[in-house]
Amino acid sequence: MARNKLERFEENKTFPHFFEYRYENGISDFLLKGKWNDAFFKNDKPIIIELGCGKGEYTTGFGLKYPDKNFIGFDIKGSRMWVGAKKSFDKQMKNIAFVRMYISLINAVFGKNEVDEIWITFPDPHLRKSKSKKRLTSPDFINRYVQFLKPKGIIHLKTDSIELYDYTMEVISSNNYYLHCSSVDVYQNNISPASDIQTYYEQIWLSQGLTIKYISFSPNYK
């Protein structure tokens, strides 16, 4: 397994759409910050990002379904990300990119008003109260997103955790964010595009009778 991981890490380096944000010498802006459309995608199509993308099932799935949009997946697990990077490379998908980095440093990657939508797909809910600031829908993280999210830009949360769902709904209410949609059973309600893609683990959870929760909201709706 260790050898397989090393091989994947090495192959990641060969993909032209796979980036690793290196910051050993201090935090500095990513080379494509504020330039994603012009310098990388070479178009003016909307940019949608996925935080905690894992194997990139949503990043690549949405990329195939919506070729008129650009998608960037973020995670720190390079071996998992290889799956999506390899698939999108083999399919010659020009609207896909991956960045391996800690999501807490996301502000170094994008300029003001550069991102149209954020998808947070099955993140660690960090159920312990002492870990609440690590939740990707915490006020601390949302304040980061606002710095690069467009006015009326949308944040999507998809989770199997009712605790994270309830927490996020409370964050939205407490901060007067604009709620577009919420559901405790996204597939029963057939809410697109949240119901358009199912990951491998989603299918397992659904077969066990679990429900998938979904929220979409805008923190700077103007």
Side-chain angles (χ1 to χ4, degrees), residues 41 52 56 58 61 83 135 157 160 169-170 174 181 194 207-208:
F41 292 115
Y58 274 83
V83 177
R135 297 169 188 162
L157 170 69
D160 61 311
M169 290 294 288
E170 176 60 30
S174 298
C181 179
S207 71
Q208 296 173 348

Coordinates of all heavy atoms in Angstrom, one line a residue, residues 41 52 56 58 61 83 135 157 160 169-170 174 181 194 207-208:
F41 N -7.6 28.0 -17.1 CA -8.7 27.5 -17.9 C -8.8 28.1 -19.3 O -9.4 27.6 -20.2 CB -10.0 27.7 -17.1 CG -10.1 26.8 -15.9 CD1 -10.1 27.4 -14.6 CD2 -10.1 25.4 -16.0 CE1 -10.2 26.6 -13.5 CE2 -10.2 24.6 -14.9 CZ -10.3 25.2 -13.6
G52 N -12.4 19.3 0.3 CA -12.4 17.9 0.8 C -12.9 17.0 -0.2 O -13.8 16.1 0.0
G56 N -12.3 12.9 -5.7 CA -12.7 13.8 -6.8 C -14.0 13.3 -7.5 O -14.2 13.7 -8.7
Y58 N -17.1 14.2 -7.1 CA -18.0 15.3 -7.4 C -17.3 16.2 -8.4 O -17.9 16.7 -9.4 CB -18.4 16.0 -6.1 CG -19.6 15.5 -5.5 CD1 -19.5 14.4 -4.6 CD2 -20.9 16.0 -5.8 CE1 -20.6 13.8 -4.1 CE2 -22.0 15.4 -5.2 CZ -21.8 14.3 -4.3 OH -22.9 13.7 -3.8
G61 N -17.3 14.4 -11.7 CA -18.7 14.1 -12.1 C -19.4 15.4 -12.6 O -20.0 15.4 -13.6
V83 N -7.0 9.5 -7.9 CA -8.1 8.9 -8.6 C -8.8 9.8 -9.6 O -9.0 9.6 -10.8 CB -9.1 8.2 -7.7 CG1 -10.3 7.6 -8.4 CG2 -8.4 7.2 -6.8
R135 N -14.8 22.9 11.7 CA -15.9 22.5 10.8 C -15.8 23.5 9.6 O -15.7 24.7 9.8 CB -17.2 22.6 11.5 CG -17.4 21.6 12.7 CD -18.6 21.9 13.5 NE -18.6 21.1 14.7 CZ -19.3 21.3 15.8 NH1 -20.1 22.4 15.9 NH2 -19.3 20.5 16.8
L157 N -23.5 22.4 1.1 CA -23.1 21.4 2.0 C -23.9 20.1 1.8 O -25.1 20.2 1.7 CB -23.3 21.9 3.5 CG -23.1 20.8 4.5 CD1 -21.6 20.4 4.6 CD2 -23.6 21.2 5.9
D160 N -23.8 13.4 5.7 CA -24.7 12.4 6.3 C -24.9 12.7 7.8 O -25.6 11.9 8.5 CB -24.0 11.0 6.1 CG -22.6 10.9 6.8 OD1 -21.8 11.9 6.6 OD2 -22.4 10.0 7.5
M169 N -27.2 25.1 9.9 CA -28.4 25.8 9.9 C -28.4 26.9 11.0 O -28.9 28.0 10.7 CB -29.6 24.9 10.1 CG -29.9 24.0 8.9 SD -30.4 24.9 7.4 CE -32.1 25.3 7.9
E170 N -27.9 26.6 12.1 CA -27.8 27.6 13.2 C -26.8 28.7 12.8 O -27.1 29.9 13.1 CB -27.3 26.9 14.5 CG -27.1 27.9 15.6 CD -28.3 28.7 16.0 OE1 -29.5 28.1 15.9 OE2 -28.2 29.8 16.5
S174 N -28.0 32.6 12.6 CA -27.3 33.5 13.5 C -26.6 34.7 12.8 O -26.5 35.8 13.3 CB -26.3 32.8 14.4 OG -26.9 31.8 15.2
C181 N -31.8 26.7 0.0 CA -32.5 25.4 0.1 C -31.9 24.6 1.3 O -30.7 24.7 1.6 CB -32.2 24.6 -1.2 SG -33.0 23.0 -1.3
A194 N -27.6 18.7 -6.3 CA -27.1 17.9 -5.2 C -27.4 16.4 -5.3 O -26.7 15.6 -4.7 CB -27.7 18.5 -3.9
S207 N -27.9 2.5 1.2 CA -28.3 1.1 1.3 C -28.6 0.7 2.7 O -29.3 -0.3 3.0 CB -27.3 0.1 0.6 OG -26.1 0.1 1.4
Q208 N -28.0 1.4 3.7 CA -28.1 1.1 5.1 C -29.3 1.9 5.7 O -29.6 1.8 6.9 CB -26.9 1.4 5.8 CG -25.7 0.6 5.5 CD -24.4 1.0 6.1 OE1 -24.3 2.1 6.7 NE2 -23.3 0.2 6.0

